[in-house]
Amino acid sequence: MTLLNVDIDLLRTFLTVLETQSFTRTAERLLRTQPAISQQIRKLEETVGTPLITRDRKAITPTTTGLVVKSYAEGIIGLNDRMLADLVDAAPSRIRVGVPDDYAAVYLPQLFRVAARRLPDTEITCHADLSRNLSKRVANGDLDLAILTADPDTPSLHVVSEPLVWVAHPDFDLSQRPLPLVLFEDGCVIRDAATSALKKAGTPHRISHSSDANTMIITVINGGHAVGAMPRCTAEHAGLHQLSDDLLPPLPSVDISLMVRDRANPAVRELALGAIAALSPDDVTPDAVPA
């Protein structure tokens, strides 16, 4: 007889689906996407060779085999969680967090407060990079979690949408052509959105300044040297002058999301819950984030 190993993450997902009665709420609680939750349930059903749940409009119900799996899963998960709770070094000595430089000042302060409360003995190391690079570093295991601008081709947990805005010194001459721009370097989603909007509107423009540091971009804008484009939250935090909608072509919104390393330590998931609070400060407080 061939012995099979059941992934404990699949069992935890199965129990959470039964508890929440929702694939969407399960995804939010376990910091995954809804398609990933569906895939995990299918994988568990393939492992045991039979359906484990039935769904209708009112409830998600375990099948006869599902009840058996539920009973064993509760014991396995319980033992796993007790073991981790009993280990002195269950929390890693260091957690590596990635964030684009223009999001750092907005979202990291709240994240640090949550980390200080939940993981007081863990060192939090921060790494600034473009979102596209951060997602690769999480996937490669070089980072434990990252706050980033979502990429439709990369699975991540969508948390909040943020409109992009044009910013400039109040006395900046917007009639200049080509219009000078200050943006992040090549590979930045916001840079692509800004230049695409100007091209579509037929507005001549050029990149007069670029940087990988938000402080440098803000310095250029405050000096009256160029127009910038950034998330509204970043512009408001920096106190920059936002241009009215009729002066330049409209910009889209960006989706800010969270990526967590596969098989992350439970302490990393604890910090990720704090990241959700940081990303949605008006809707979620750290103490209200589901455990």
Side-chain angles (χ1 to χ4, degrees), residues 145-277:
L145 64 89
I147 300 168
L148 42 75
T149 303
D151 182 341
D153 297 326
T154 303
S156 60
L157 179 66
H158 174 267
V159 180
V160 67
S161 293
E162 187 71 23
L164 297 180
V165 295
W166 295 108
V167 291
H169 188 278
D171 298 329
F172 185 83
D173 180 10
L174 289 173
S175 66
Q176 297 181 53
R177 295 295 182 270
L179 185 69
L181 302 176
V182 55
L183 297 165
F184 274 89
E185 296 174 348
D186 278 331
C188 173
V189 173
I190 297 173
R191 175 183 174 124
D192 293 344
T195 54
S196 294
L198 291 171
K199 288 178 182 177
K200 185 176 180 180
T203 304
H205 59 278
R206 67 183 181 91
I207 307 294
S208 62
H209 302 76
S210 64
S211 178
D212 60 359
N214 197 52
T215 52
M216 302 302 176
I217 291 175
I218 292 173
T219 299
V220 172
I221 294 168
N222 283 333
H225 305 294
V227 174
M230 60 183 60
R232 184 174 61 189
C233 60
T234 303
E236 291 177 346
H237 186 275
L240 297 176
H241 174 68
Q242 299 178 39
L243 302 177
S244 60
D245 295 340
D246 59 338
L247 295 176
L248 289 174
L251 292 169
S253 293
V254 292
D255 292 328
I256 299 173
S257 66
L258 183 73
M259 281 189 69
V260 182
R261 179 172 59 84
D262 285 344
R263 301 182 182 278
N265 184 285
V268 174
R269 295 189 178 276
E270 276 290 300
L271 187 58
L273 294 175
I276 290 179

Side-chain angles (χ1 to χ4, degrees), residues 89-98 115 119-127 137 141-145 261 264-269 271:
D89 60 346
S93 60
R94 176 182 298 176
I95 292 179
R96 302 158 300 172
V97 178
L119 304 169
D121 298 323
T122 297
E123 177 185 351
I124 309 299
T125 66
C126 297
H127 304 260
R137 293 171 68 179
D142 296 331
L143 294 175
D144 296 301
L145 64 89
R261 179 172 59 84
N265 184 285
V268 174
R269 295 189 178 276
L271 187 58

Side-chain angles (χ1 to χ4, degrees), residues 12-13 16-17 20-38 40 118 156-160 258 260 269-277 279-280 283-284 288-291:
R12 191 181 297 277
T13 297
T16 307
V17 166
T20 63
Q21 290 290 293
S22 167
F23 277 53
T24 300
R25 288 194 291 274
T26 296
E28 293 171 350
R29 180 174 295 187
L30 298 183
L31 305 175
R32 299 184 186 276
T33 62
Q34 185 171 334
I37 296 300
S38 299
Q40 286 190 315
R118 297 190 178 191
S156 60
L157 179 66
H158 174 267
V159 180
V160 67
L258 183 73
V260 182
R269 295 189 178 276
E270 276 290 300
L271 187 58
L273 294 175
I276 290 179
L279 288 165
S280 306
D283 302 320
V284 184
V289 178

Side-chain angles (χ1 to χ4, degrees), residues 13-14 17 23 37-45 53:
T13 297
F14 174 62
V17 166
F23 277 53
I37 296 300
S38 299
Q39 184 178 19
Q40 286 190 315
I41 294 298
R42 284 196 300 270
K43 186 174 181 180
L44 182 59
E45 291 178 331
I53 59 174

